[in-house]
Amino acid sequence: MSKKGVHVKVDEFKTDVGLFKNLELSIGRIVEEKWAEPMGPTPFPEITTLRDWDMKLLQRYKPFYLPFCDVCCLCTFGKCDLTGDKRGACGLNMAAQQSRIVLLACCIGAATHIAHARHLVEHLMEKYDRNTPLNVGGLNIDIEAPVTRLVCGIKAERLKDLEDALEYCEKQVTHLLSATHTGQEGSNLDFESKVLHAGMVDQVGMEIADLAQISVLGFPKADPEAPLTDLGFAAADVSKPTILVIGHNVPSSVGIIDYLTDKGLLGKVEVVGICCTAHDITRYSSMAKIVGPISWQLRYIRSGLADLIVVDEQCIRADALVEAQKVKAPVIASSPKNCLGLENRTENPSEQVISDLVEGKVPGALILNPDKVGEVAVETVLKVAPKRNKFSIIPKKEEIIKDAQECTECNECMRACPNNMPIPKAMKAAAKGDLNPLADILEDCIGCGRCDSACPNDFPLHSFIVKAGEEQLLKEKFKMRVGRGAIQDVEIRNVGGPIVLGEIPGVVALVGCANYPKGGKEVAEIAEEFAKRRFIVVTSGCAAMSMAMVKDEEGKTIYEKYPGAFDAGGILNVGSCVSNPHIAGAAIKIASIFAKRKLRANYEEIADYILNRVGAVGLAWGAMSQKAASIASGFWRLGVPVIVGPHGSKYRRMLLGRKDIDEDWYVYNARTGEKVYVGPTPEHLFTAAETKEEAMVLIAKLCMRPNDTSKGRAVKLTHYIDLHKRLYSVMPDDIHLYVRNQADIPITMKDEILKILEKKEWKEMGIPDPTLLPRLIRKTKGE
Amino acid sequence: MGVKEEPWQTAEIAGPKKALLILKPEVVAAMVKKAKRPLIVVGHLAAEDYSEDAKMIDYAIRMSNAAGIPVVATAHVVSEFIKRGFSSATHMPAMDIGDRLADSEWKGLDGNGPYDLALFMGLPYYMEFVILSGLKHFSTNLKTISLDRFYNPHASWSFPNLSIKDWKDNIEIIVNKLGGN
Ligand code: SF4
Ligand code: SF4
Ligand code: SF4
């Protein structure tokens, strides 16, 4: 059955044109399926199909709006002042406006992933074979695409089968986006429901992208021992001609590696990457290396180490071409979504393009054919590298000191800096020849370059900071395990029980961008803390890179210290942004493989299962993008809470539970139909933590679920209380909400906790078979 | 001393409704005295900024002790209160206290009813900015005061951007007027 497999068969059909016999018509693709499971209730859900589920979530996790802006300027009625209870000319109020902006962000994020998936699938079908079987883990994986199966109700077996799900996603995003038009949706909660829908289809889009590239390009297939790769400024031998790739969509980078391989040039040219393209190209080839996360762009380009830059799409600096020109490095743009104003040279003879780039006649070229990108990039870099001689615009120490003496301490740089870095003070020290305070800034600097733009003296402050920290930076080389892709079914079977019963205290997903409040080292610290505590730590994207960038006394990174298996104490990098659905997929597979819940188009039941039983939490410590917003919302709808760093407060809306309102925390006991209080588990669906300490305490707390066994709850409480005491120096003040009976109390803390319970007039509560869905209540005979 | 309604982080512009400038610290003391149910919300930077002899947390403690104002310590800063022998701070994430303050039905930390004045200090500038915005738009009957040394435009009242010395002079006056020493 297909989502729109309209199939008409008529024996005889008479029209003005004539008589047709035995006519068979197919509108849309008919997916032939070998999936015995009967179709569930919600195949290819439309934008209101899961609205009831959303409202259940939103009733408990109410939006707290944090308007970044007091006005709306979306149409020519505006600007409208929406302060307080005012309404705009269209009748919209502030709450609806905020939720509309969140929806816009999530539509942008989802559209980006879905378009990425569309491009990948079409490219791979054209270049390889439409019938390539989908394979993410060979015999180790039976459920190849848990999200797509759950949402769409289809089992895709070949590359071409993904197109139905893609079309579905595209349609949904169009509908969702249309709801943001003036005079469409008026209710903030309905906007929020649509936000959740955007997140859900985003997960499908991402899953398709990763499924396609893993299957066709031979990435690691659910491999806990995926190879270690090098990361950092010193990861590659930059004395060789060096190509830097930036972005997320890997075909052009693959084109480069393939060309090098075909021409026997591997080892003669270095290929290094920034952001998710770096993840994916290291999944493709061990020849590629990683520079670092998104925030490493300016420092690397300005250092002049890259002789040629290839950009594809997403999270690429809009001034990449401008910066590249300063260091005389040609740029190849390779995505229709990011043409950078360059002339389209796709149809020109390669020699002509290469010669124009080498001679500097043009700063760059747009080439929309990945194989051609490979050829042009490699041939150009071989000729450009000796001419450039690693030309850098990082200033000399003396130049910095001289400029620093002209600094007026006007504070404009600091006031432009998202992290309020004390640049004026550092400049004062630099004026006296001490560059250490500038070097200290590098660690917490997110590389945005806003300080440069702000300085009335036009000092290239980011370059000053890079120079000050250069000695250390140029030596840096870390080991990171490349993206392993999916989680094996057997891994799920092994840990499903312990997770659902609460004995593995939780699954923590450290994901997202690099907009950190205090540098990437905090991500490494959080990851290690929870791996040591025997949580399962999963990671992807820039966070996966940041956590590699810290070494212990023996010089080892966490990827060398902890196994890459989906098991207690493991740290697993699933891959790039589009690999995130493997994390959602693991939660879905726990419900499906371990608990044998029906998977096919059965979204609500599986989400209800995850919300009530699977202690999984996401932390996007440096979440920046609209994609991060939609990724998070995909997790919310599935019942997985997400924490963001303090900059994430600028997403304008949290989804917060109120532990002080008892009525909010009742579920049905599926065994009896009774409504029972289960405590605030999990307390929030989306919140921003102010510090890493708060994030760690929240992670431990948000892993608690109504279904935990007493043994499991005691383990979870131990971690929560232990972290709270260590980081806050006090006991948590809400333990009484999480202890259901005496067996839940961690043995070592029994006396202390009993005293607290007594003071709070605590009463014992039962442990139900929890659900929010009345239809899952198992009625006994005669009822 | 700058006296402009200019946000510290250049692009964090708000309005049309913006915080009124606190030009005379005595006014803050008077507002606190007049308030029926004031509250101080203290973020983690209170223990880090601004200098050894001008830490926000110490002023928060003095204000609380002088005027009997309850303190909510966000993130992990409660440990710093304890270190200083101040044990009555309630700890709560910044988002949680923001959310509760926006709810006119909330009965407060002690169950005695909603607050009418919330004083903020020590949160990251941009986080305080959006939380104050949430309160400006969605709370009823709550006034907010930003006591950091930066103009935070979504508050009801805020200091302008101040030097550490000027901030210290101002906050000393507030504490003294409240009866602290
Ligand atoms: S969309 Fe509505 S609120 Fe926004 S500018 Fe137009 S009329 Fe005003
Ligand atoms: S480049 Fe670094 S120091 Fe400069 S404004 Fe951005 S984060 Fe701050
Ligand atoms: S903006 Fe420029 S002149 Fe002003 S303090 Fe910063 S470095 Fe100095």
Side-chain angles (χ1 to χ4, degrees):
Chain A
M1 183 177 153
S2 139
K3 73 177 164 96
K4 59 176 182 70
V6 182
H7 192 172
V8 187
K9 196 173 173 195
V10 276
D11 292 337
E12 213 176 274
F13 182 51
K14 206 174 164 192
T15 73
D16 293 346
V17 188
L19 179 74
F20 296 85
K21 283 197 170 174
N22 298 327
L23 181 79
E24 233 178 281
L25 256 176
S26 283
I27 304 163
R29 259 175 307 280
I30 308 295
V31 182
E32 245 184 73
E33 280 176 358
K34 299 178 197 92
W35 190 8
E37 189 175 318
M39 185 57 83
T42 54
F44 294 103
E46 295 293 331
I47 55 175
T48 52
T49 309
L50 294 163
R51 186 168 175 254
D52 286 351
W53 170 248
D54 298 337
M55 293 304 169
K56 282 193 173 69
L57 290 174
L58 293 164
Q59 210 179 353
R60 188 196 269 180
Y61 303 106
K62 297 197 173 68
F64 173 36
Y65 294 109
L66 307 148
F68 211 20
C69 199
D70 297 320
V71 295
C72 174
C73 53
L74 215 54
C75 82
T76 69
F77 277 146
K79 292 184 179 179
C80 293
D81 172 16
L82 300 178
T83 303
D85 56 8
K86 288 183 181 160
R87 288 186 186 266
C90 63
L92 203 72
N93 65 11
M94 186 54 112
Q97 167 65 357
Q98 293 312 302
S99 50
R100 175 163 72 153
I101 300 283
V102 177
L103 177 57
L104 265 174
C106 290
C107 283
I108 295 171
T112 305
H113 286 137
I114 292 161
H116 174 178
R118 167 63 75 187
H119 171 263
L120 261 178
V121 168
E122 282 182 355
H123 165 71
L124 295 173
M125 285 201 300
E126 193 188 317
K127 182 164 178 193
Y128 301 89
D129 183 352
R130 308 172 48 79
N131 287 306
T132 310
L134 297 175
N135 176 4
V136 288
L139 295 175
N140 292 320
I141 289 190
D142 191 33
I143 301 177
E144 73 305 318
V147 179
T148 306
R149 285 203 197 191
L150 175 67
V151 174
C152 305
I154 59 165
K155 178 179 187 304
E157 295 189 338
R158 299 180 183 279
L159 203 47
K160 63 177 185 189
D161 300 342
L162 296 170
E163 283 193 290
D164 278 313
L166 265 177
E167 268 174 36
Y168 161 73
C169 294
E170 288 157 350
K171 183 176 139 195
Q172 296 310 303
V173 171
T174 308
H175 283 306
L176 290 166
L177 188 57
S178 78
T180 65
H181 192 275
T182 303
Q184 296 269 51
E185 194 56 79
S187 143
N188 68 308
L189 287 185
D190 267 309
F191 272 124
E192 296 294 353
S193 165
K194 291 176 172 64
V195 164
L196 298 174
H197 194 68
M200 185 192 71
V201 295
D202 179 45
Q203 291 273 345
V204 177
M206 288 189 290
E207 187 175 76
I208 290 171
D210 213 31
L211 198 58
Q213 58 182 4
I214 292 172
S215 301
V216 181
L217 298 175
F219 290 1
K221 293 187 178 5
D223 182 2
E225 283 165 22
L228 292 166
T229 186
D230 290 324
L231 180 153
F233 263 54
D237 175 3
V238 288
S239 63
K240 295 178 192 169
T242 301
I243 300 173
L244 169 66
V245 296
I246 315 176
H248 285 70
N249 195 349
V250 81
S252 47
S253 303
V254 167
I256 296 167
I257 296 284
D258 287 353
Y259 187 82
L260 288 169
T261 313
D262 290 350
K263 297 286 163 184
L265 290 168
L266 280 176
K268 299 226 163 51
V269 171
E270 290 280 4
V271 179
V272 298
I274 288 179
C275 222
C276 283
T277 280
H279 267 301
D280 288 343
I281 196 62
T282 55
R283 292 163 92 187
Y284 183 69
S285 165
S286 60
M287 295 308 300
K289 302 284 180 289
I290 298 179
V291 173
I294 174 173
S295 41
W296 256 239
Q297 294 181 65
L298 272 188
R299 65 184 71 171
Y300 200 78
I301 297 175
R302 290 184 180 178
S303 296
L305 302 176
D307 298 299
L308 179 135
I309 299 167
V310 175
V311 295
D312 53 77
E313 58 170 296
Q314 303 164 42
C315 305
I316 299 155
R317 286 193 64 92
D319 57 0
L321 181 63
V322 178
E323 291 290 334
Q325 275 178 279
K326 292 185 198 160
V327 293
K328 303 176 186 167
V331 171
I332 298 175
S334 64
S335 163
K337 282 134 202 154
N338 182 22
C339 302
L340 293 174
L342 295 167
E343 191 185 340
N344 188 349
R345 309 290 298 267
T346 314
E347 302 305 328
N348 289 176
S350 298
E351 310 75 61
Q352 207 182 325
V353 187
I354 295 163
S355 124
D356 284 355
L357 290 171
V358 173
E359 283 164 29
K361 283 192 189 150
V362 288
L366 173 66
I367 303 177
L368 298 174
N369 174 323
D371 292 332
K372 189 160 186 162
V373 170
E375 182 193 355
V376 173
V378 172
E379 296 300 340
T380 305
V381 85
L382 287 168
K383 298 194 178 78
V384 156
K387 286 175 91 172
R388 281 189 71 251
N389 198 20
K390 303 290 169 187
F391 180 75
S392 160
I393 51 161
I394 301 294
K396 295 197 172 58
K397 196 177 164 184
E398 304 73 57
E399 289 167 340
I400 299 176
I401 295 171
K402 194 171 148 274
D403 276 352
Q405 286 160 357
E406 305 295 316
C407 167
T408 57
E409 287 182 71
C410 68
N411 284 333
E412 289 298 323
C413 48
M414 190 174 179
R415 292 180 56 198
C417 176
N419 282 338
N420 208 33
M421 290 285 124
I423 306 168
K425 216 167 151 188
M427 287 291 275
K428 209 170 164 188
K432 295 190 190 111
D434 177 9
L435 260 49
N436 287 324
L438 274 175
D440 290 344
I441 290 174
L442 187 59
E443 198 158 319
D444 295 353
C445 164
I446 56 155
C448 68
R450 270 183 5 196
C451 47
D452 287 26
S453 300
C455 177
N457 284 338
D458 285 336
F459 295 150
L461 294 164
H462 184 59
S463 301
F464 289 4
I465 293 164
V466 172
K467 177 67 190 176
E470 186 182 58
E471 208 184 314
Q472 176 65 21
L473 196 62
L474 290 174
K475 284 193 291 208
E476 281 180 353
K477 184 171 169 176
F478 308 94
K479 290 280 181 208
M480 187 199 81
R481 197 175 297 286
V482 308
R484 59 167 275 171
I487 314 301
Q488 296 180 10
D489 294 3
V490 62
E491 291 176 294
I492 297 291
R493 275 190 203 100
N494 291 341
V495 299
I499 290 174
V500 171
L501 301 175
E503 288 149 15
I504 288 179
V507 181
V508 190
L510 304 181
V511 300
C513 339
N515 191 12
Y516 305 125
K518 284 190 179 169
K521 59 191 180 304
E522 292 193 333
V523 182
E525 211 180 308
I526 297 169
E528 183 149 30
E529 177 72 45
F530 286 94
K532 274 190 190 153
R533 289 177 180 273
R534 313 276 302 151
F535 284 63
I536 301 175
V537 179
V538 225
T539 182
S540 67
C542 286
M545 297 181 186
S546 299
M547 71 171 69
M549 302 177 96
V550 176
K551 287 181 183 168
D552 68 4
E553 313 78 55
E554 290 171 36
K556 287 188 174 162
T557 72
I558 52 175
Y559 289 104
E560 295 166 278
K561 291 198 278 180
Y562 297 88
F566 193 75
D567 201 353
I571 294 186
L572 352 20
N573 171 17
V574 290
S576 54
C577 285
V578 292
S579 308
N580 277 309
H582 301 308
I583 303 174
I588 295 167
K589 290 209 284 187
I590 289 171
S592 153
I593 296 174
F594 163 74
K596 304 216 167 11
R597 294 289 179 115
K598 290 209 163 44
L599 171 64
R600 188 170 194 175
N602 195 21
Y603 193 91
E604 204 181 42
E605 181 178 343
I606 296 284
D608 178 66
Y609 182 95
I610 294 170
L611 176 71
N612 284 300
R613 293 161 209 267
V614 180
V617 180
L619 175 71
W621 193 234
M624 167 281 294
S625 65
Q626 298 85 13
K627 294 194 302 152
S630 61
I631 293 170
S633 62
F635 280 102
W636 304 329
R637 197 181 225 184
L638 208 49
V640 178
V642 177
I643 306 163
V644 283
H647 284 295
S649 58
K650 293 176 240 170
Y651 278 123
R652 301 170 169 84
R653 181 286 265 114
M654 304 285 119
L655 293 171
L656 303 175
R658 285 282 297 271
K659 63 183 176 188
D660 56 322
I661 300 177
D662 288 354
E663 305 89 88
D664 289 353
W665 306 103
Y666 278 77
V667 302
Y668 293 104
N669 184 347
R671 282 189 292 268
T672 62
E674 238 183 321
K675 278 199 129 184
V676 278
Y677 175 78
V678 285
T681 48
E683 187 185 359
H684 299 306
L685 209 48
F686 184 50
T687 192
E690 186 186 334
T691 61
K692 69 164 192 284
E693 289 84 355
E694 185 177 301
M696 288 199 262
V697 168
L698 268 171
I699 289 170
K701 174 149 105 163
L702 294 181
C703 282
M704 285 189 258
R705 291 293 180 282
N707 186 63
D708 297 337
T709 59
S710 280
K711 191 173 157 203
R713 181 58 64 87
V715 172
K716 292 183 182 188
L717 273 172
T718 306
H719 291 293
Y720 171 46
I721 296 171
D722 185 57
L723 278 165
H724 204 286
K725 280 168 95 171
R726 195 182 90 207
L727 301 170
Y728 289 15
S729 309
V730 279
M731 280 294 267
D733 56 8
D734 53 5
I735 300 172
H736 59 293
L737 304 177
Y738 297 106
V739 176
R740 298 156 305 175
N741 55 55
Q742 296 228 6
D744 285 356
I745 303 174
I747 298 269
T748 51
M749 307 174 183
K750 193 138 195 168
D751 294 343
E752 198 178 0
I753 292 178
L754 279 174
K755 263 187 229 147
I756 295 173
L757 296 182
E758 201 179 322
K759 236 167 95 189
K760 298 272 185 186
E761 296 174 12
W762 169 83
K763 279 193 208 71
E764 200 165 290
M765 32 184 163
I767 306 176
D769 180 357
T771 178
L772 294 181
L773 304 172
R775 68 180 166 84
L776 293 186
I777 298 165
R778 295 187 294 275
K779 294 200 171 80
T780 48
K781 253 190 199 166
E783 261 194 306
Chain B
M1 172 170 158
V3 285
K4 280 192 287 186
E5 291 173 353
E6 205 174 73
W8 171 251
Q9 289 208 313
T10 316
E12 308 245 326
I13 293 165
K17 187 177 172 188
K18 285 193 293 185
L20 300 172
L21 283 175
I22 303 168
L23 297 174
K24 288 198 181 115
E26 294 81 359
V27 178
V28 174
M31 281 190 285
V32 173
K33 279 188 186 159
K34 218 178 104 198
K36 290 193 185 73
R37 299 265 295 156
L39 179 75
I40 313 179
V41 179
V42 184
H44 81 285
L45 293 173
E48 296 174 16
D49 296 352
Y50 301 112
S51 67
E52 267 322 304
D53 67 336
K55 285 247 164 79
M56 284 178 267
I57 188 169
D58 297 321
Y59 289 100
I61 291 172
R62 284 170 60 194
M63 280 172 72
S64 173
N65 285 337
I69 313 172
V71 169
V72 169
T74 69
H76 58 285
V77 75
V78 63
S79 62
E80 295 290 334
F81 279 99
I82 291 167
K83 258 191 219 159
R84 287 163 171 80
F86 185 90
S87 59
S88 63
T90 302
H91 54 87
M92 197 185 272
M95 282 303 164
D96 288 21
I97 184 63
D99 185 36
R100 281 159 176 72
L101 285 171
D103 172 11
S104 56
E105 308 277 299
W106 186 45
K107 293 283 177 283
L109 299 167
D110 54 7
N112 289 338
Y115 298 97
D116 56 355
L117 181 70
L119 304 120
F120 280 81
M121 58 168 88
L123 285 166
Y125 181 82
Y126 52 88
M127 208 174 176
E128 194 166 307
F129 177 93
V130 288
I131 290 174
L132 287 169
S133 167
L135 296 175
K136 172 168 98 179
H137 292 288
F138 297 102
S139 70
T140 45
N141 304 323
L142 178 79
K143 300 281 176 240
T144 58
I145 300 181
S146 165
L147 288 179
D148 301 73
R149 69 178 181 94
F150 304 115
Y151 182 66
N152 210 320
H154 284 303
S156 313
W157 288 276
S158 169
F159 281 131
N161 297 327
L162 295 174
S163 67
I164 295 175
K165 186 188 166 299
D166 286 342
W167 176 79
K168 204 178 158 203
D169 291 349
N170 275 278
I171 199 103
E172 277 289 354
I173 294 171
I174 297 173
V175 174
N176 289 334
K177 290 278 169 202
L178 289 174
N181 43 44

